[in-house]
């Protein structure tokens, strides 16, 4: 267990050491790498400098040793028992002689005058078979510095007590102390180490500052990423010089962030649209079910009433039943009762049929089924719609005004465009009080200037002077089955309520299917103006006779009301 525990701890330590680089910051890694490289460079430079300078100094010492060796050979009487000039050598130089037994010969050289211990000449070099002029380095006899020496065979004389001279052969040792060289090398080494440490400190400070300055862009990227993670998708990385890696990285990140933000917003919009579509679908199904249930309930009620009353009974049968069973027992319906019931059933069935037709039309438009495409004069359709509205509501003032401009030709489905204009006028008649005037205007303009679309277009406005709508009502007025408050709902002369709530939705769908735009301008108490804009037909662009239409005498006759249906009749004016 103990061995297993020890190996487990060792494994954990080794794992921690291996994970250390991954836990170290980039700034620390860069500074450490720079310092390591500088330290290696300084160590190599210091080693080379010390080695080269040491070699240079040793060459100087070797030259001095050779010069000393050469000069010793010319000292008069140095080895013949005469004068001893070696005693005048400095303490850093040595000249001494060893006999054949390797013993130092006294009285020759300056061994006795050295203030520090002399060189420890090996026995192999002190004998007659010495280095023969080769430079070697030996240590001192005790402490002190090393010596650089030359040994060679040397003839010398021994003066006996009786004054006789005995020639001997020994080994001459000539050398110079390396104490000064070692001191210089030690000083140079300490200087190199001191300078290296100082340089490392300076490089560490400068390197940290430079790395911090250059990594500031990464810090900004990190901060931006944190803000984006917190939900601020509009944040962007500061732009840098695109010629640098950081600049190119920032530009790429900003492009990526823009795409991510666009995709995120698109997803949000898609989800919101899906929720809205689902909510509209629920509301649509509920409203459609409610609208269909109303006439179906009425039809079912009349049918049950007919069944419960026993059906149609002839007059004489009913009188006979009354005589036999009493007056209270008379059952059955008269033909007049049946006529009223069938009229109501017919009205409710017609109402349900209109609703079903509207739903089918909207379904076809949702499926983007193509409509007929032909050149249509929108002014003629507006004049026909005004004429029909005057017949349906003779008590109303319904005027058609035409502004000077190009021929009001559009490319579309004539039947559907008639339905669009009819729905707009019907909406104005239904949702305004009796006696409220209605104005229909046809003019030239641009398709959607608010959206920046300046395509030439034909503009048709239907203006009423009713109660108007609130901004919330105006925003939802083109939704399916949407009705404004009861103040904008009235009962028509036929006794039915004011529409199913699909008229304006059909208007928007039909106009959009033909490349047009619908809009409404209203305020509470100031009426409402519903506008449709349809692209001008190509053949109407630059029509040469359009500018003179206002002065056409035939047109004046039509404006006075003498034209037939389909022209400019019944109060149309310019």
């Amino acid at each position: 267990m103990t061995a297993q525990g020890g190996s487990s701890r060792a494994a954990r330590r080794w794992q921690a050491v291996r994970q250390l680089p991954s836990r170290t910051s980039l700034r620390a890694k860069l500074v450490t790498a720079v310092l390591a490289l500088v330290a290696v460079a300084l160590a190599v430079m210091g080693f080379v400098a010390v080695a080269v300078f040491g070699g240079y100094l040793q060459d100087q010492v070797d030259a001095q040793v050779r010069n000393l060796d050469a000069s010793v050979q010319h000292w008069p009487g140095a080895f013949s028992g005469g004068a001893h000039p070696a005693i005048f050598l400095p303490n850093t130089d040595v000249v001494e002689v060893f006999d054949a037994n390797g013993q130092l010969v006294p009285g020759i050289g300056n061994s006795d005058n050295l203030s520090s211990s002399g060189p420890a000449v090996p026995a192999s070099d002190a004998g007659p078979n010495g280095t023969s002029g080769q430079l070697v380095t030996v240590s001192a006899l005790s402490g002190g510095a090393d010596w650089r020496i030359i040994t060679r065979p040397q003839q010398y004389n021994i003066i006996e007590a009786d004054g006789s001279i005995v020639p001997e052969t020994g080994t001459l040792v000539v050398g110079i102390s390396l104490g000064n060289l070692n001191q210089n090398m030690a000083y140079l080494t300490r200087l190199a180490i001191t300078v290296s440490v100082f340089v490392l400190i300076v490089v560490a400070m400068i390197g940290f500052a430079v790395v911090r300055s250059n990594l500031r862009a990464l810090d900004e990227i990190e901060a931006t990423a944190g803000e984006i993670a917190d939900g601020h998708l509009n944040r962007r990385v500061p732009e840098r010089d695109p010629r640098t890696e950081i600049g190119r990285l920032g530009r790429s990140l900003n492009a990526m962030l823009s795409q991510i933000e666009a995709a995120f917003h698109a997803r949000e919009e898609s989800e919101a649209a899906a929720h809205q579509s689902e909510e509209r679908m629920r509301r649509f199904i509920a409203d459609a079910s409610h609208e269909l249930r109303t006439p179906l309930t009425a039809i079912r009620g009349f049918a049950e009433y007919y069944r419960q009353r026993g059906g149609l009974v002839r007059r004489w049968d009913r009188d006979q039943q009354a005589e036999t069973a009493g007056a209270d027992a008379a059952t059955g319906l008269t033909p007049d009762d049946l006529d009223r019931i069938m009229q109501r059933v017919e009205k409710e069935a017609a109402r349900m049929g209109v609703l079903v037709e509207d739903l089918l039309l909207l379904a076809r438009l949702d499926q983007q089924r193509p409509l007929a495409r032909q050149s249509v004069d929108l002014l003629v359709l507006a004049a026909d719609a005004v004429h029909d509205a005057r017949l349906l509501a003779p008590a109303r003032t319904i005027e058609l005004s035409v502004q000077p401009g190009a021929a009001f030709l559009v490319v579309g489905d004539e039947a559907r465009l008639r339905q669009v204009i009819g729905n707009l006028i019907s909406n104005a008649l239904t949702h305004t009080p009796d006696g409220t005037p209605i104005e229909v205007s046809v003019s030239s303009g641009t398709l959607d200037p608010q959206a920046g679309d300046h395509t030439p277009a034909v503009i048709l406005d239907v203006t009423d002077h009713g109660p108007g709508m609130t901004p919330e009502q105006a925003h939802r007025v083109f939704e399916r089955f949407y009705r404004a408050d009861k103040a904008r709902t009235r009962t028509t002369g036929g006794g039915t309520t004011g529409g199913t709530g699909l008229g304006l939705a059909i208007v928007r769908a039909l106009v959009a299917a033909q490349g047009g735009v619908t809009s409404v301008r209203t305020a509470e108490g100031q009426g409402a103006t519903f506008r449709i804009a349809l692209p001008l037909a190509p053949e109407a662009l630059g029509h040469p006779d359009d500018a003179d239409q206002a002065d056409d005498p035939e047109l004046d006759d039509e404006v006075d009301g003498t034209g037939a249906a389909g022209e400019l009749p019944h109060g149309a004016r310019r």
Side-chain angles (χ1 to χ4, degrees), residues 518-539:
T518 57
S519 60
V520 61
R521 183 174 66 254
T522 183
E524 287 189 279
Q526 299 182 13
T529 298
F530 289 87
R531 168 172 292 188
I532 64 171
L534 293 167
L536 198 63
E539 59 266 27

Side-chain angles (χ1 to χ4, degrees), residues 363-408:
R364 294 190 186 99
L365 294 175
D366 289 341
Q367 295 174 357
Q368 298 181 350
R369 293 188 180 181
L371 301 176
R373 305 289 292 177
Q374 61 184 3
S375 181
V376 180
D377 191 338
L378 200 64
L379 178 58
V380 173
L381 302 187
D384 291 346
V386 169
H387 180 264
D388 296 341
R390 287 173 177 169
L391 295 178
L392 293 175
R396 288 292 191 100
T397 300
I398 305 175
E399 295 184 352
L400 173 63
S401 61
V402 183
Q403 304 299 324
F408 303 110

Side-chain angles (χ1 to χ4, degrees), residues 294-480:
T294 300
L296 288 175
T297 301
I299 294 173
R300 179 181 178 183
F302 287 123
E304 290 181 353
Y305 178 71
Y306 177 80
R307 177 178 54 79
Q308 291 173 358
R309 294 295 301 272
L312 180 64
V313 179
R314 294 186 178 87
R315 185 78 178 179
W316 61 271
D317 291 336
R318 187 177 60 180
D319 294 340
Q320 184 178 7
Q321 290 177 3
E323 291 176 357
T324 57
D328 295 336
T331 59
L333 300 173
T334 65
D336 293 336
D337 295 334
L338 182 60
D339 289 341
R340 287 194 298 273
I341 290 175
M342 295 309 296
Q343 288 176 3
R344 293 295 301 277
V345 169
E346 182 182 5
K347 289 181 180 180
E348 295 298 335
R351 177 184 176 187
M352 185 170 61
V354 170
L355 178 60
V356 171
E357 288 295 330
D358 290 344
L359 292 176
L360 289 175
L361 174 59
L362 289 173
R364 294 190 186 99
L365 294 175
D366 289 341
Q367 295 174 357
Q368 298 181 350
R369 293 188 180 181
L371 301 176
R373 305 289 292 177
Q374 61 184 3
S375 181
V376 180
D377 191 338
L378 200 64
L379 178 58
V380 173
L381 302 187
D384 291 346
V386 169
H387 180 264
D388 296 341
R390 287 173 177 169
L391 295 178
L392 293 175
R396 288 292 191 100
T397 300
I398 305 175
E399 295 184 352
L400 173 63
S401 61
V402 183
Q403 304 299 324
F408 303 110
L409 297 179
V410 298
V411 177
D413 190 320
E414 179 178 351
R416 296 308 181 188
L417 290 176
R418 287 185 183 275
Q419 183 177 4
V420 166
I421 301 174
N423 284 2
L424 291 177
I425 297 178
S426 175
N427 178 75
L429 291 173
T430 302
H431 298 291
T432 55
D434 292 332
T436 302
I438 297 174
E439 300 172 2
V440 179
S441 173
V442 182
S443 61
S444 299
T446 56
L447 191 62
D448 193 0
Q450 293 184 352
D453 190 348
H454 299 285
T455 303
V458 180
I459 308 298
L460 185 140
D461 292 329
V462 178
T463 303
D464 65 63
H465 298 277
M469 292 180 290
T470 64
E472 194 275 336
Q473 292 171 342
H475 180 71
R476 299 185 55 192
V477 71
F478 290 103
E479 293 182 7
R480 300 176 183 183

Side-chain angles (χ1 to χ4, degrees), residues 500-564:
T500 62
L502 294 176
L504 293 179
I506 292 175
V507 167
R508 166 165 283 186
L510 286 173
V511 172
Q514 300 179 80
V517 178
T518 57
S519 60
V520 61
R521 183 174 66 254
T522 183
E524 287 189 279
Q526 299 182 13
T529 298
F530 289 87
R531 168 172 292 188
I532 64 171
L534 293 167
L536 198 63
E539 59 266 27
L541 296 174
H543 197 288
D545 299 330
D546 293 335
D548 301 329
Q549 284 185 0
D551 299 328
D552 192 339
E554 295 182 0
L555 183 60
D556 293 338
D557 293 338
E558 293 171 351
V559 170
D560 292 337
T562 59

Side-chain angles (χ1 to χ4, degrees), residues 1-10:
M1 295 295 293
T2 304
Q4 292 180 355
S7 63
S8 177
R9 286 193 297 271

